[in-house]
């Protein structure tokens, strides 16, 4: 902020949006223990921070500017070194005074801090919590992290003072095609989408029995067969729209009306395909339960639906804000995904299925993070203890300081302190793959293991 102000840059609305969005994403690692939503949130926060420094608005600016700060690492270090040398030459006497003053202050802190810590156990505990635990073994690693942070800060300051204008990269538009040459393939594609959607509506409105007679597939198999194909169809439609806009006729108002009508119809039909894909995933989850991968790809499909809505809005109101709007929607999706706690949702849905069907995949649930503990805590024994054994062992073996502990982890520690795991490993091994003691419920399967087909990508 100081570097930007010294360079004469002013705070703009979109800069504030990127900055606030990036800081909001950092709430995810503070609240959630799961590593995968945290990783997505940190990467997205880095991208929004880079966009805040660059102020990008075009497609090249948003795409390249989200990682553009990496281009300032070398210039940032040189810029910082030259600035230090320049100021050191002008103030050699003040540097010596600053070093002496700092040394005296550190000496006083060490001497009197040691005396007060030895005089009061509570004060010693407070100091122990505030001061990071440093050791000879951790020294090189901490030094490396400090240098990485220093280089990153210099790169950010250099970018704020003199950003690279990625918006200056011009992408040439393709040669416009004749109306019929451009529109005919897309109209055929629209008709294909319409035929597929008509069949989907028949199935959703009660025609599934006819489909099952023709295909021999039950609900779960029917859902599994098509979800991934529909996801790829959605992604490829985005590519088709991008290429169509590149070669779209644009000579007159009639050409622009044709483009909006054809591509708008394609976007609307694709939204129905997105709804069909989500419905298939819902059927599959109802049959086999929720997993991390299933909730992730469903969230991605839902976000793709938002992208198509934004494209439709751009066709009506103009494309000026489309690149930044899509970037904001992606960051918002990552933030929402982290805040809803996917591990907790997976555990919650599987616990409900256990209440309804009496079977649960304990092997899978053991791998969830501490965010799942509140939901898994509602299971009866011995299923509860078998699902929480791994989490309890990891939490007891963790020596993370307060500033590296999430809210989800702290809540799990509190629950397991009140109700610790009570069964041993042997008892858990005695449970079947469906979470029921072998011989207890003969023939009950949930499709996780023995009833699975060989092809199950998720």
């Amino acid at each position: 902020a100081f570097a930007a102000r010294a360079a004469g840059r002013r705070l703009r609305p979109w800069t504030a949006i990127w900055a606030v969005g990036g800081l909001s994403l950092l709430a995810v690692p503070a609240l959630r223990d799961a590593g995968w939503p945290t990783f997505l949130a940190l990467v997205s926060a880095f991208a929004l921070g880079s966009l805040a420094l660059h102020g990008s608005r075009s497609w090249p600016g948003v795409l390249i500017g989200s990682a553009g700060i990496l281009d300032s690492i070398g210039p940032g270090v040189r810029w910082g070194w030259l600035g230090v040398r320049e100021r050191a030459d002008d103030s050699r006497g003040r540097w010596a005074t600053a070093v002496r003053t700092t040394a005296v202050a550190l000496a006083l802190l060490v001497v009197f801090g040691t005396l007060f810590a030895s005089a009061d156990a509570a004060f010693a505990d407070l100091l122990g919590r505030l001061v990071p635990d440093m050791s000879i073994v951790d020294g090189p690693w901490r030094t490396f992290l400090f240098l990485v942070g220093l280089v990153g800060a210099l790169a950010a300051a250099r970018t704020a003072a003199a950003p690279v204008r990625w918006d200056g990269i011009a992408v040439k538009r393709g040669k416009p095609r004749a109306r019929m040459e451009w529109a005919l393939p897309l109209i055929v594609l629209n008709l294909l989408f319409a035929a597929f959607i008509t069949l989907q509506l028949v199935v959703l409105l009660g025609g599934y029995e006819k489909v099952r007679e023709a295909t021999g597939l039950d609900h779960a198999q029917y859902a599994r067969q098509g979800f991934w194909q529909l996801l790829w169809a959605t992604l490829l439609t985005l590519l088709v729209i991008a290429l169509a806009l590149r070669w779209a006729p644009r000579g007159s108002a009639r050409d622009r009306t044709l483009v909006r009508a054809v591509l708008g119809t394609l976007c609307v039909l694709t939204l129905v395909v997105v709804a069909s894909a989500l419905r298939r995933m819902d059927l599959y989850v109802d049959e086999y339960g929720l997993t991390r991968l299933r909730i992730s790809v469903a969230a991605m499909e839902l976000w793709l639906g938002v992208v198509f809505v934004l494209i439709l809005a751009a066709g009506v109101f103009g494309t000026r804000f489309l690149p930044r709007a899509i970037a904001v929607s992606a960051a918002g999706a990552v933030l929402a995904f982290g805040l809803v706690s996917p591990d907790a949702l997976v555990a919650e849905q599987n616990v409900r299925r256990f209440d309804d069907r009496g079977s649960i995949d304990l092997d899978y649930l053991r791998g969830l993070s501490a965010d799942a503990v509140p939901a898994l805590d509602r299971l009866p024994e011995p299923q509860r203890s078998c699902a929480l054994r791994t989490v309890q062992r990891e939490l007891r073996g963790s020596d993370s300081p307060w500033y590296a502990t999430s809210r989800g982890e702290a809540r799990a520690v509190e629950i397991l302190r009140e109700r610790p795991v009570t069964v041993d490993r042997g008892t858990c091994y005695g449970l079947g793959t469906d979470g029921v003691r072998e011989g207890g419920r003969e023939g009950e399967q949930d499709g996780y293991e023995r009833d699975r087909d060989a092809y199950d990508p998720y």
Side-chain angles (χ1 to χ4, degrees):
F2 286 118
R5 185 175 180 180
R9 294 187 67 187
R10 293 180 294 111
L11 180 65
R12 298 179 181 274
W14 273 101
T15 302
I17 292 174
W18 299 131
V20 171
L23 292 174
S24 300
L25 284 163
L26 297 181
V28 175
L31 298 175
R32 304 293 173 238
D33 177 60
W36 52 304
T38 295
F39 173 78
L40 290 176
L42 292 178
V43 171
S44 301
F46 174 86
L48 293 191
S50 184
L51 288 174
L53 295 173
H54 286 91
S56 304
R57 65 180 65 183
S58 65
W59 280 114
V62 171
L63 294 176
I64 303 175
S66 60
I69 193 175
L70 298 176
D71 187 65
S72 300
I73 291 178
V77 172
R78 291 193 298 271
W79 175 74
W81 173 249
L82 292 176
V84 170
R85 284 188 57 184
E86 181 181 345
R87 284 159 178 75
D89 292 339
D90 296 339
S91 55
R92 292 184 180 275
R94 282 182 291 176
W95 273 100
T97 301
V99 170
R100 289 195 300 270
T101 302
T102 303
V104 171
L106 288 176
L108 293 175
L109 284 175
V110 170
V111 171
F112 285 94
T114 303
L115 291 174
F116 289 146
S118 61
D120 190 288
F123 186 75
D125 182 66
L126 176 63
L127 284 182
R129 290 176 177 272
L130 294 178
V131 179
D133 185 17
M134 297 291 291
S135 64
I136 297 177
V137 176
D138 293 336
W141 176 244
R142 302 262 182 162
T143 302
F144 171 76
L145 292 179
F146 171 77
L147 293 176
V148 170
L150 177 62
V151 170
L154 289 173
R158 173 66 168 74
T159 304
V164 179
R165 297 301 180 183
W166 300 110
D167 287 333
I169 300 176
V171 179
K172 289 186 177 181
R173 300 188 67 174
K175 181 181 178 180
R177 306 296 181 180
R179 293 177 188 171
M180 186 58 62
E181 179 186 1
W182 178 86
L184 183 59
L186 294 174
I187 292 174
V188 172
L189 182 61
N190 283 340
L191 292 175
L192 177 63
F193 270 61
F196 176 80
I197 289 169
T198 301
L199 177 62
Q200 299 303 295
L201 293 177
V202 170
V203 173
L204 292 176
L205 294 177
Y208 171 72
E209 294 301 329
K210 295 182 180 179
V211 176
R212 184 168 66 175
E213 291 177 3
T215 62
L217 301 175
D218 61 24
H219 276 89
Q221 292 170 332
Y222 183 74
R224 180 178 64 183
Q225 184 190 54
F227 176 82
W228 287 98
Q229 289 86 337
L230 295 183
L231 177 61
W232 278 109
T234 307
L235 292 170
L236 289 176
T237 304
L238 284 176
L239 178 61
V240 169
I241 291 174
L243 295 177
L245 288 173
R246 179 175 175 82
W247 290 305
R250 46 185 179 271
S252 64
R254 291 182 62 186
D255 291 333
R256 291 189 290 272
T257 302
L258 175 65
V259 171
R260 289 174 179 171
V262 174
L263 294 185
T265 302
L266 182 59
C267 287
V268 172
L269 294 175
T270 307
L271 285 174
V272 181
V273 172
V274 169
S276 176
L278 293 173
R279 173 57 179 162
R280 286 171 182 258
M281 177 57 73
D282 182 61
L283 289 172
Y284 194 74
V285 168
D286 183 65
E287 183 68 23
Y288 294 119
L290 193 61
T291 65
R292 286 173 167 177
L293 183 56
R294 291 167 195 168
I295 194 175
S296 298
V297 294
M300 180 180 178
E301 184 76 11
L302 187 61
W303 173 69
L304 289 175
V306 174
V307 171
F308 280 101
V309 171
L310 293 175
I311 293 174
L312 284 171
V316 177
F317 303 106
T319 61
R320 179 183 178 187
F321 294 106
L322 184 60
R324 289 180 287 188
I326 290 180
V328 168
S329 70
V334 172
L335 178 61
F337 187 70
L339 293 181
V340 300
S341 187
D343 274 15
L345 288 180
V346 170
E348 181 75 27
Q349 197 269 349
N350 281 274
V351 170
R352 286 201 303 268
R353 290 183 74 252
F354 179 77
D355 294 337
D356 296 337
R357 305 189 182 189
S359 59
I360 192 169
D361 187 353
L362 295 176
D363 288 337
Y364 183 82
L365 296 179
R366 288 190 192 103
L368 298 179
S369 67
D371 298 330
V373 170
L376 297 179
D377 184 57
R378 300 202 310 270
L379 287 170
E381 294 292 355
Q383 284 82 5
R384 173 190 175 274
S385 293
C386 292
L388 297 177
R389 285 183 67 255
T390 302
V391 175
Q392 178 174 278
R393 183 175 65 250
E394 292 176 351
L395 292 177
R396 286 181 174 178
S398 174
D399 57 351
S400 299
W402 62 270
Y403 50 83
T405 303
S406 65
R407 169 58 184 159
E409 187 176 351
R411 187 181 181 190
V413 169
E414 181 180 350
I415 291 174
L416 291 174
R417 184 185 298 117
E418 296 177 356
R419 296 183 59 199
V421 169
T422 58
V423 301
D424 56 16
R425 182 182 300 178
T427 303
C428 295
Y429 283 158
L431 297 178
T433 56
D434 57 355
V436 180
R437 193 174 302 279
E438 293 186 6
R441 285 189 178 95
E442 204 171 309
E444 286 194 8
Q445 296 289 333
D446 63 353
Y448 276 108
E449 297 290 343
R450 289 188 285 267
D451 280 355
R452 262 186 178 169
D453 293 337
Y455 170 70
D456 189 355
Y458 49 93

